[in-house]
Amino acid sequence: MNDISPELKKLYQNYNGDIKKLLQENPRLDYLYALSEIRENLLDWFEFKPDATLLQVGSDYGALTGLYSRRVKAVTVLDPCHNNLSFNRLRNQKQNNIHYVNNDLDSFTSDDNFDYIVFAGSLCDPYQDMIQKAKELLKPDGMLITAISNRLGLKYQAGAKAEQFCLSRTELKELLCGSEENHGTVKFYYPMPDYRLPVTLYSDGYLPGKGDLTHAILAYDYPKYLRFDLGKMFDEVCEGKQFETFANSFLTIWSRHEEN
């Protein structure tokens, strides 16, 4: 993936940190994904423990780092890209509880384990190695949070360009829990239109029905011409009770033990 950190940093400084004006005058999709406040909708609802520690795997231009720093005691941002960390540091310079580490997950070590570890679009192949390392860095009652695109998502079947790393619901569940029992529990959530710019969040306890997504499927990266009527297809999927399989992306929360 092309790193746009240097140009973002220059723009951010030119606009004195005014992200809204920056995006209005520079309407690029990659800038929107990197800077939009909508990114925080992904986990703004989640009740983080205020005295917790969190490891963010992948700097992601600081899109969610500010949210984490406001919600937990200490945040560690891990990324092998120095430029990305540099822009993140500039963007969140007012927060004094963020520690930036220029390294990859495989080589990373920590004296203390974390309450939360988050992969928001940063989980990649080899998936199993990354998940195993993350679990080793979690506290016994810690939570592993993952956001990733669905390889079977309707938006991609309609013609949107798929991300390099994506998994189906079954693949992701097996990756997190394994094929055997007693390997932890995972809760699935379904950000719409996707995890990068989520507007609505569904769960297994509250799924959309026919008509709920007919006119609520806007996404900025859809191609000009779709292969089929996406609203109608979502209606069919919801009516056939298959939304979980064909949702555009997933947000999962894994823990070793069943939550109360």
Side-chain angles (χ1 to χ4, degrees), residues 6-161:
E7 55 195 275
L8 282 179
K9 187 174 184 179
K10 184 179 294 185
L11 283 168
Y12 189 88
Q13 292 171 329
N14 290 342
Y15 283 88
N16 296 314
D18 189 341
I19 288 178
K20 290 185 178 180
K21 187 175 181 181
L22 188 161
L23 291 175
Q24 287 174 350
E25 298 183 1
N26 299 272
R28 277 179 43 175
L29 184 59
D30 51 356
Y31 290 173
L32 184 69
Y33 285 146
L35 301 175
S36 175
E37 294 180 352
I38 299 175
R39 293 292 305 273
E40 293 193 357
N41 289 347
L42 183 70
L43 287 166
D44 187 48
W45 58 275
F46 186 75
E47 295 182 1
F48 290 100
K49 295 181 292 185
D51 61 343
T53 57
L54 182 149
L55 174 64
Q56 177 185 344
V57 181
S59 176
D60 196 21
Y61 309 108
L64 292 169
T65 309
L67 171 67
Y68 304 147
S69 68
R70 297 192 302 270
R71 296 294 183 83
V72 303
K73 182 179 179 180
V75 177
T76 299
V77 182
L78 179 67
D79 198 297
C81 178
H82 172 76
N83 286 337
N84 208 312
L85 289 173
S86 178
F87 175 68
N88 192 335
R89 187 180 287 107
L90 172 66
R91 183 176 182 178
N92 292 291
Q93 59 186 302
K94 294 181 180 180
Q95 304 300 113
N96 58 11
N97 63 340
I98 306 172
H99 177 51
Y100 299 93
V101 180
N102 188 201
N103 204 346
D104 55 33
L105 182 62
D106 184 56
S107 305
F108 175 69
T109 59
S110 175
D111 294 333
D112 300 302
N113 283 7
F114 298 88
D115 295 285
Y116 304 103
I117 297 180
V118 185
F119 295 93
S122 56
L123 183 62
C124 59
D125 211 12
Y127 302 108
Q128 192 62 60
D129 292 348
M130 295 192 76
I131 292 297
Q132 182 59 40
K133 181 61 181 288
K135 289 181 179 180
E136 292 172 1
L137 292 169
L138 268 182
K139 292 181 179 179
D141 59 346
M143 296 183 184
L144 177 59
I145 302 173
T146 303
I148 192 169
S149 291
N150 178 13
R151 70 158 73 236
L152 302 179
L154 283 188
K155 67 177 285 186
Y156 304 116
Q157 297 188 43
K161 184 179 179 180

